[in-house]
Amino acid sequence: PFAVPPRGIAAIPGDRCLPGSCSSRMPRCTGLQVRASQAVHRRFYSVFAAWGRLLSRRPWLIILVSLCAAVLASTKLLLSFGGDGLPYQSNGDKLWVPEDAEASKDQESFDAAFNPTGAFTRQNFVYFLATSGGTVLTAPILQEVYRFRELARRNLTATDICDGGCSPLTPSAVGYSEVCDRAAGDASSELSQCLTYGSAFPLFEDGSGNVVLDLTDAEILEMVESGTGVAGSLYPPGGNVTFDVRRVFGGLEYDGAGKLVSAKAVKLGLPLEGYKSSVDAVKDQLEAATAWEGQLNL
């Protein structure tokens, strides 16, 4: 008779399996695996059984030792309640990328050349959409967007930082002029020094900081289509300096002749001051920016 091959082994017709050959080798290998597995299981069982017997004989001693070990391991946490708290890291690059990775080294080289302060700008954008069939390229709509911007820049303040719970800011209240993004090296808190990129209004500035929106719809369309604004000093006639309108206007529509006729959305940017990745040095600054940002989101 032919021997029945083990599961997973195909039988070869006409090939007999003699004792000690093909059919008798598999149980021997399987037996070694079983014995090794059983030895590991017995070891684990004996260790946990011994631990269980110790727990049953000395329960209070084990509780006391575990409690002391937990307190010792939490020493830094307990001390943080009377100080500045535990340090934390919110920079995603440092959270998920190993510090010795090539990408981290390249980032350090880039920052040394182009961003020596190690600052990261907090971007905030508000989008205004036209009603069905309408356009945002009209003076009343742009004036309303500008009114919203000035309310946020001049009237919106934050007094508390809320992250799970709320606590007072230091200083007690901050406005946009304290947290806005500025040119490198500018330490003033004047609202006029806040950068205005990320919005359409630099297109309508007259060169002295004033925004001119008392324009006809045709004039607005011409400025947006050409990318040349109000200020002749910024956009000289015949020059090649233009404003990138596609970064702030969305849903641009053109007629059959290729002339701009409408835009369905306009973006308003409110960039906040950059903060360094060194958390200890900018804790108050970061909390102030986060608190003002939270008020804007409300």
Side-chain angles (χ1 to χ4, degrees), residues 67-249:
L67 181 61
C68 291
V71 172
L72 289 175
S74 305
T75 301
K76 192 170 184 179
L77 174 64
L78 297 175
L79 294 176
S80 68
F81 291 113
D84 295 330
L86 292 175
Y88 64 93
Q89 178 60 260
S90 58
N91 184 357
D93 292 338
K94 294 185 177 295
L95 285 174
W96 308 114
V97 181
E99 293 185 1
D100 58 347
E102 189 65 29
S104 298
K105 298 176 182 178
D106 292 343
Q107 184 65 50
E108 292 175 359
S109 300
F110 174 85
D111 291 340
F114 299 101
N115 189 20
T117 63
F120 299 89
T121 304
R122 300 176 69 89
Q123 298 281 5
N124 291 274
F125 298 112
V126 183
Y127 294 87
F128 297 83
L129 306 179
T131 56
S132 178
T135 177
V136 297
L137 298 179
T138 65
I141 290 181
L142 293 178
Q143 288 169 0
E144 180 62 21
V145 176
Y146 181 75
R147 187 185 72 85
F148 177 89
R149 188 192 82 158
E150 293 304 291
L151 285 175
R153 284 159 49 97
R154 299 179 184 277
N155 298 353
L156 185 63
T157 59
T159 57
D160 298 285
I161 176 68
C162 296
D163 186 10
C166 294
S167 57
L169 283 172
T170 304
S172 58
V174 294
Y176 184 71
S177 60
E178 283 84 24
V179 297
C180 69
D181 191 23
R182 303 177 185 84
D186 186 355
S188 68
S189 59
E190 296 293 330
L191 188 60
S192 60
Q193 300 303 312
C194 295
L195 300 179
T196 58
Y197 60 87
S199 69
F201 298 114
L203 187 65
F204 301 99
E205 290 181 357
D206 60 3
S208 60
N210 299 317
V211 177
V212 179
L213 293 174
D214 187 15
L215 303 168
T216 65
D217 293 351
E219 290 173 329
I220 293 174
L221 277 171
E222 176 61 27
M223 286 184 182
V224 173
E225 182 174 26
S226 63
T228 56
V230 173
S233 58
L234 296 178
Y235 306 99
N240 58 359
V241 179
T242 58
F243 184 83
D244 189 357
V245 297
R246 293 183 180 275
R247 289 184 175 271
V248 294
F249 290 102

Side-chain angles (χ1 to χ4, degrees), residues 244-263:
D244 189 357
V245 297
R246 293 183 180 275
R247 289 184 175 271
V248 294
F249 290 102
L252 298 175
E253 295 182 343
Y254 299 85
D255 61 15
K259 298 286 291 184
L260 179 67
V261 294
S262 69

